[in-house]
Amino acid sequence: MSLGSINKTMRTTAFKLSAIYLIIFSIFAIFLIVYISLNTQLLMTRQLNSTIEVEVRGLVEQYRSGGMPGLVKVIEERSRRPGASLYLVTDNAGHYVAGNVAALPKWVLDERGALEQTVSYQRLGETERKEYNAVVSVYEMFGGYRLLVGRDVGEREIFRKVVEQAFIVSAILMIVLALLSWMFVSRKVLKRIDVIAQASSNIMRGQLDERLPVTQAGDEFDRLSENLNTMLSRIELLMKGLKEVSDNIAHDLKTPLTRLRNRVEVTLASESGDVDKYREALEQTLEESDTLIRTFDALLRIARVEAKSTQIEKVPLDIGAVAADMAELYEPVAEDEGALLTWDAGPGFVINGNRELISQAVANLIDNALKYAVRHVAEQRESCVANGETALPDVPRIHVSVCHSGSAKATGEGGEARPIILTVSDNGQGIAKEDRARVLQRFVRLDKSRSQPGSGLGLSLVNAVACLHDARIELGDNEPGLVFSIHFPPAPEAWGAREKRAPTVDAKQLDP
């Protein structure tokens, strides 16, 4: 591994976290081992002192009951037993009388009571002069005799060495395992990050269909990749929509702009000097300009709705009343076109929505249904007249309704609020199943010749408004004609059925 790779590895988060965990765990392990060792040694020392004190009291009782001969007999008997106990009886001159201790430092017998420090001694009967350590207590008896009782601390020293060895082995093992785990974790993490970085580089180079890899581990990297992939899919969809909008704008706006230019050019090239002709040309130019402005206004409104702008306020809204108001507003227009507009939309269907946008969506649906129903019926009548048929088709019909899903009741079987369905149906030519999803896109017009007025943005705005209100759109057959349904989630029960009425919508704002 090169120096650059080592520096790169040491700068990774995995290395830093592993180092922090190693330091914290090492401090904890050292503290735990030292704490256990010290407390164990303290406990063993207390047990030794307690054992010695008990033995001293017992031997003193033996001395008081049996005198020196009885004490010597008991000590000789106990000295022959294997173990860590030490016994020694000396006369007033310090000479050996009984016991299993061969030699002691001279100052030990001059002390009285339990000694705080360990003393070295030699055992009786061993050929080699090997020194041991012990904890002792000295008791002075009648006549200057001294009694020494002690316990060898070799077991405590062995335990201390075992603890030291365990500490060293544990430290080495802990460091080795920490390094191995760090190498494993860092390699795994770095590999995942490198894969994500590579995919990100491909995306930045323009491969918008590239996605971050997702394993079956279900860890935080998978969750991050899934969220980023969702975001990338949304970005790709927006970019694709932007491209389609750009292409459609270039295609749909080129024709009216060309007509504007040609009309102005023809008018300027005319040498008649007719004022009425100039006025007519200007009026047509103004009309074309208004159409272009409405198209751009519709695009801006769709963009604002799709972006879910914070300026769009939603309040408890009675969509039944809104639909009835819009149907009533369009009823004279339908009569002028020779169509029959009916509605079944009473109050009490409350959603959380924006009155202006809902009104705009309903107006777009009614206008769209009216336009295509009138056109379809007119074409059928022309066909019947041309063929000499006497039975002419029915009048154009448009029906607007608002109801709850499944029934007229507000709640389902489990007491859950059912969706509220806004439906606009007509008896026009309808839309083929393969085109129903496409008509909700911008600038999509089923009239390939584009001879009919319109920009192909009406249903796009309806789709954007539905998405803003978390609603679902369904297109079905009316046999003949189209049934356009929007399924709105109802308002929470806490809002009740009363609507916070917004200002009346001006008909001038409702340009589909």
Side-chain angles (χ1 to χ4, degrees), residues 305-358:
V305 173
E306 287 183 343
K308 297 187 178 180
S309 173
T310 56
Q311 299 177 358
I312 299 178
E313 181 182 3
K314 292 191 288 187
V315 298
L317 179 69
D318 192 337
I319 191 174
V322 173
D325 290 343
M326 298 311 303
E328 186 177 357
L329 181 65
Y330 268 85
E331 186 179 18
V333 179
E335 290 181 357
D336 292 341
E337 295 288 340
L340 178 61
L341 175 59
T342 59
W343 62 91
D344 180 14
F349 300 93
V350 182
I351 67 169
N352 184 29
N354 181 274
R355 170 176 282 273
E356 180 183 354
L357 293 177
I358 294 295

Side-chain angles (χ1 to χ4, degrees), residues 49-62:
N49 293 333
S50 177
T51 302
I52 291 172
E53 185 179 354
V54 171
E55 283 200 299
V56 168
R57 286 199 298 265
L59 292 174
V60 169
E61 292 294 330
Q62 291 288 339

Side-chain angles (χ1 to χ4, degrees), residues 265-283:
E265 185 178 4
V266 171
T267 304
L268 290 177
S270 177
E271 298 180 354
S272 62
D274 189 352
V275 176
D276 293 335
K277 187 175 182 180
Y278 289 152
R279 178 180 294 274
E280 181 184 358
L282 289 175
E283 290 176 351

Side-chain angles (χ1 to χ4, degrees), residues 317-484:
L317 179 69
D318 192 337
I319 191 174
V322 173
D325 290 343
M326 298 311 303
E328 186 177 357
L329 181 65
Y330 268 85
E331 186 179 18
V333 179
E335 290 181 357
D336 292 341
E337 295 288 340
L340 178 61
L341 175 59
T342 59
W343 62 91
D344 180 14
F349 300 93
V350 182
I351 67 169
N352 184 29
N354 181 274
R355 170 176 282 273
E356 180 183 354
L357 293 177
I358 294 295
S359 301
Q360 178 73 75
V362 176
N364 283 11
L365 291 177
I366 295 176
D367 183 82
N368 199 67
L370 182 62
K371 179 174 61 177
Y372 285 99
V374 170
R375 175 190 170 189
H376 180 65
V377 172
E379 290 177 351
Q380 284 186 328
R381 286 183 176 180
E382 291 178 0
S383 177
C384 291
V385 172
N387 295 330
E389 298 178 4
T390 58
L392 298 179
D394 196 5
V395 297
R397 295 180 180 273
I398 298 93
H399 183 69
V400 180
S401 66
V402 177
C403 64
H404 284 284
S405 174
S407 70
K409 297 181 180 181
T411 57
E413 297 178 357
E416 299 178 354
R418 293 185 177 181
I420 296 173
I421 304 178
L422 167 66
T423 302
V424 178
S425 59
D426 61 71
N427 61 345
Q429 63 182 6
I431 299 177
K433 291 183 179 181
E434 59 271 14
D435 293 328
R436 290 175 184 174
R438 194 167 62 89
V439 294
L440 300 178
Q441 301 174 6
R442 296 182 184 92
F443 293 108
V444 173
R445 298 173 61 185
L446 300 181
D447 180 18
K448 297 181 180 180
S449 63
R450 297 184 181 258
S451 58
Q452 296 296 320
S455 59
L457 296 175
L459 295 184
S460 298
L461 179 59
V462 174
N463 184 48
V465 172
C467 292
L468 178 66
H469 291 82
D470 299 323
R472 177 172 56 87
I473 292 178
E474 284 187 0
L475 279 73
D477 289 324
N478 198 31
E479 298 179 354
L482 178 70
V483 178
F484 197 108

Side-chain angles (χ1 to χ4, degrees), residues 54-266:
V54 171
E55 283 200 299
V56 168
R57 286 199 298 265
L59 292 174
V60 169
E61 292 294 330
Q62 291 288 339
Y63 173 72
R64 288 176 180 175
S65 61
M68 182 59 67
L71 176 64
V72 170
K73 181 179 179 181
V74 172
I75 288 178
E76 287 181 348
E77 180 182 353
R78 293 185 179 182
S79 296
R80 287 192 293 271
R81 298 175 184 175
S85 298
L86 302 177
Y87 305 98
L88 179 64
V89 177
T90 62
D91 58 14
N92 55 5
H95 296 140
Y96 172 84
V97 176
N100 56 3
V101 178
L104 280 171
K106 294 182 179 181
W107 58 270
V108 174
L109 296 177
D110 295 334
E111 300 291 333
R112 297 294 181 270
L115 274 65
E116 296 182 356
Q117 64 186 55
T118 59
V119 298
S120 59
Y121 74 97
Q122 295 178 3
R123 292 180 180 177
L124 186 68
E126 290 187 354
T127 57
E128 298 182 359
R129 293 184 173 273
K130 187 176 181 181
E131 292 188 352
Y132 302 92
N133 294 322
V135 177
V136 299
S137 180
V138 181
Y139 179 78
E140 186 175 2
M141 296 180 295
F142 179 77
Y145 283 86
R146 295 177 179 83
L147 171 64
L148 181 145
V149 179
R151 295 281 293 182
D152 190 275
V153 295
E155 294 179 355
R156 191 177 69 177
E157 295 297 324
I158 293 174
F159 175 77
R160 183 180 62 80
K161 291 181 180 179
V162 169
V163 171
E164 291 179 353
Q165 292 177 355
F167 174 75
I168 295 173
V169 172
S170 299
I172 296 174
L173 183 62
M174 181 174 57
I175 294 173
V176 172
L177 291 178
L179 291 174
L180 291 177
S181 62
W182 164 72
M183 291 178 64
F184 174 76
V185 172
S186 62
R187 283 179 177 273
K188 185 176 180 180
V189 172
L190 287 177
K191 184 178 180 180
R192 295 286 298 275
I193 293 177
D194 289 340
V195 172
I196 294 175
Q198 181 62 39
S200 302
S201 300
N202 295 335
I203 294 170
M204 288 187 292
R205 284 196 294 266
Q207 300 179 13
L208 296 181
D209 57 342
E210 182 81 13
R211 293 295 180 266
L212 303 180
V214 178
T215 64
Q216 301 300 324
D219 54 8
E220 60 276 7
F221 285 102
D222 280 349
R223 294 194 296 271
L224 176 62
S225 297
E226 290 173 355
N227 292 334
L228 291 177
N229 286 339
T230 302
M231 181 186 68
L232 289 172
S233 299
R234 177 63 176 165
I235 292 174
E236 183 184 12
L237 182 62
L238 292 175
M239 294 296 294
K240 186 181 296 184
L242 180 61
K243 182 179 181 300
E244 291 177 355
V245 168
S246 301
D247 294 341
N248 290 329
I249 288 177
H251 183 272
D252 284 71
L253 299 186
K254 182 178 180 181
T255 300
L257 289 174
T258 302
R259 284 201 301 265
L260 279 175
R261 184 185 182 282
N262 292 339
R263 186 178 296 113
V264 172
E265 185 178 4
V266 171

